[in-house]
Structure formats: structure tokens, C-alpha cells
Amino acid sequence: ATTQDIMDTATVLQVREGLMLVRAELLGLLRALAAQADRHRGTVMAGRTHLQQALPTSFGLKCAVWAAPLPGHLQRLDQLRARVEQVEFAGAAGTLASLGEQGIAVMEGLAAELGLAAPPAPWHVCREALAEAVAFLGVVCGTLAKLATDIILLCQTEVGEVAEPYVAGRGASSTMPQKRNPIASEYILAAARGVQALVPLMLGAMAQDHERGTGPWQAEALAIPQAFVLTHGALLQARTIAEGMVVDAARMRHNLDLTHGLIVAEAVMMGLAPTLGRGEAHHVVKHACDVALTEGIALADALQREPAVAAKLDRAAIDRLTDPAGYLGSTEAFIDRVLAAARAVG
């Protein structure tokens, strides 16, 4: 054995343990988000695009969207293991010449003793599997960063729909006693940026020279431990948020009503289209929206003043048409699909 045989095999053994820790936290996070998705499938809130209210959605679907990539990550992790968990034992120049005709048998025996696979050829200078492992961690952190970004935005004072779990002193400001900063989400974002910055380092380290690298190999030792530690830490923070998040359904409803019904303008237009025609329905609803905005009244009130609408619908029908809870489309079905995927990997 050469030094790199020992170092690479030790790294693989550590990666194996690290992946199992990552897998456990991914599974815990998935279960927590799935439970929140099921619990809040009927909690209506404003869906936002370009940071502006767009259409009604449910907080359950939002949690389901956070959870949706996780079964795929678990599958990627399981598939990755077969490629990365391989013994390295090839001797000074990758020939095992010192063992004569017994080289392959010794390599296979060592692999079996360590619970690793025996590679088809030495991988002293073939670093794809380790690069893939760190790239995988970078993708996982990308998923966590999306969750953390949403939580930070939902925590804003002006929004106030979701808060991180409260623990006395956690997230407190050193000068402003009233503050509860979303510190777990901030940790996740910092860790994600750190891991993703290490992915190019691993990809660059793939350019090894001849039968032993003269520097790229050593760069891996800078990247792999940090990537695993940061990813695992981010997963722990994400799981803490998912399990203990504080959801303010009343504030969600308050924010949903900020536009006095304008958020369901599409719903009204689609509801009127069968009787008025698509083009006329768009024209009528657009005019009602303009009136509501100009006069500061509810969309339902503006619609009631539209002759074309009043001729077809009474006030109760207009109120049903402008109820955000009545325009959630396939949210329940999407949640059920995510829950089914979670059960399949759990």
C-alpha cells in the first residue's frame, strides 16, 4: 500500500459515516415537513410571485413544496453510495506489482473486510465519486437555502406569518430587546454558501496528473470535511425549524385580505367566463378592479355594481366567488402526492 491508498480509503470510510448522518437528518426533515403539510393543508395564505401577492395558496402546499425535493435527495444519496464507497488499494503507481499475481485478491479481501466495494481499476487519479459526493451536498444545501429564504421572508415584521421556534435568548438582539431574529435560517444560508463554494474546489481537483496528483488531491482534504460538517449543521437547523415553526394562520388571513379581494380577480374572471364569455369576463373584472383600487372598496362591492355581474349573480354568489379558500385548485392533490412520495422513502 502507498500512503494515498490509506488516506483515500480512510476518507471513504468517513464519507460513508457522513452520508449516513446526512441521510438520517434528511429523513427527519422530510417527515417533519410532511406533517406540517398535512396539518396546514387548509391554512389559506397568499401565494407570492416577484415578492408580491399573486393568487391564494395554502401553507400546507408551501410545506409540501419545501419537502418535495427530499425524496429525490435520499434516492441520490443511496445511489451515490455504490460509487463512492470503494476501497483504494493499488500500490505506488497503481499496479500492485509488489504482490505479484495476488494483487486483485488482496484488494478484494481488504474491501470485503472493510465493507467496501472493490473498484475495477485504481482511482488514485480518478476523483469523480468524491467530487459527486460534495456536489450532492451542495444541491442539498440549495434546497435548504430555499426553505431558509422563505422563512426569513415570512418572519418579516410586515408579514409575520411564520416564526422560527422560540427559545429564550436565541436570536435575540444585543441592543433591541424586542427582536427575535431568524437565526437558524441565517445559519442555513451561511452554511449553504460555504458548501456551494467548495463544489468548484472539488471539481477542479479532478485534474490529476499521471499516476499521482501533485496538488489537486491535497485540495480535497480542505473541501470534504467542511462540506459534510456544514451540510449536517444546516440540516439540523432546518429540522429544528420544520418541527417547531410557529404558524400564524390569523395573520395569513389578514394579509390575504390586504387587497380587499383583488387577489382572487383571476378566480372571478374564470367563474364569470362560462356565462359572460372569456373576453367580456376579463373586461368586466378588470373594470371592477380599477374601481376597487380607485375608491378603496372591496372587489365584491365593485363587482356588485357591474350590471353584467349583477344580472347573473346575487351577493351571496359574488361572495363565494371572491372567497380565496374557493380558489385553491389542486393544492390538496399536490400535498397528497408529496406525502405519498415521503412515505415511499420513509
Side-chain angles (χ1 to χ4, degrees):
T2 189
T3 300
Q4 189 173 347
D5 289 332
I6 298 167
M7 298 296 290
D8 279 349
T9 300
T11 296
V12 166
L13 293 173
Q14 290 176 301
V15 166
R16 179 172 66 183
E17 297 300 314
L19 287 174
M20 290 302 94
L21 290 171
V22 167
R23 194 184 199 285
E25 291 306 321
L26 277 172
L27 193 56
L29 176 60
L30 174 58
R31 289 171 176 165
L33 288 174
Q36 296 283 13
D38 194 34
R39 182 178 301 118
H40 291 287
R41 60 173 61 237
T43 304
V44 186
M45 66 181 296
R48 296 173 172 93
T49 61
H50 301 276
L51 294 180
Q52 298 182 18
Q53 290 195 11
L55 291 173
T57 186
S58 74
F59 186 64
L61 181 58
K62 199 169 193 71
C63 292
V65 169
W66 291 335
L70 301 182
H73 289 332
L74 288 163
Q75 292 169 358
R76 291 182 188 96
L77 189 154
D78 293 340
Q79 293 163 357
L80 167 66
R81 290 189 60 191
R83 293 187 287 273
V84 74
E85 293 176 14
Q86 296 190 6
V87 72
E88 176 68 290
F89 181 71
T95 64
L96 284 178
S98 63
L99 295 176
E101 296 180 359
Q102 300 302 312
I104 299 297
V106 173
M107 178 186 70
E108 291 177 343
L110 176 61
E113 184 172 335
L114 296 174
L116 299 173
W123 53 275
H124 285 152
V125 286
C126 299
R127 316 304 292 181
E128 286 77 7
L130 290 175
E132 182 185 2
V134 175
F136 163 73
L137 298 179
V139 173
V140 168
C141 283
T143 296
L144 303 181
K146 188 277 184 287
L147 183 157
T149 298
D150 281 352
I151 293 292
I152 288 172
L153 292 173
L154 292 169
C155 283
Q156 291 180 101
T157 304
E158 294 80 4
V159 179
E161 296 177 353
V162 179
E164 291 186 357
Y166 176 66
V167 178
R170 182 175 172 85
S173 166
S174 58
T175 58
M176 295 171 285
Q178 83 280 9
K179 294 291 294 296
R180 293 184 184 179
N181 297 316
I183 196 69
S185 298
E186 294 172 8
Y187 286 157
I188 292 169
L189 289 178
R193 283 166 171 76
V195 174
Q196 290 167 348
L198 294 168
V199 173
L201 181 59
M202 289 297 295
L203 296 177
M206 293 174 65
Q208 308 264 337
D209 40 293
H210 294 307
E211 281 64 56
R212 184 79 77 253
T214 54
W217 174 62
Q218 288 84 347
E220 291 179 352
L222 304 175
I224 297 172
Q226 291 186 75
F228 272 92
V229 170
L230 291 172
T231 301
H232 189 248
L235 281 164
L236 291 172
Q237 299 291 345
R239 185 173 177 178
T240 297
I241 294 170
E243 291 177 344
M245 66 175 70
V246 180
V247 180
D248 191 339
R251 186 61 178 265
M252 289 178 176
R253 183 67 209 202
H254 170 79
N255 291 340
L256 198 59
D257 293 335
L258 286 176
T259 62
H260 304 294
L262 292 178
I263 194 171
V264 291
E266 180 185 278
V268 175
M269 181 183 67
M270 298 305 292
L272 291 173
T275 55
L276 299 183
R278 176 69 169 76
E280 180 62 16
H282 183 279
H283 173 75
V284 168
V285 174
K286 176 66 169 66
H287 183 261
C289 288
D290 290 343
V291 170
L293 285 169
T294 301
E295 300 185 16
I297 62 175
L299 177 60
D301 294 335
L303 286 168
Q304 196 170 22
R305 286 160 48 176
E306 293 287 333
V309 177
K312 301 288 185 179
L313 303 174
D314 60 17
R315 181 55 189 243
I318 292 173
D319 287 340
R320 286 194 298 272
L321 207 55
T322 54
D323 180 6
Y327 200 63
L328 295 178
S330 299
T331 55
E332 295 259 357
F334 281 131
I335 292 169
D336 289 338
R337 288 167 67 88
V338 172
L339 295 183
R343 287 191 295 270
V345 299

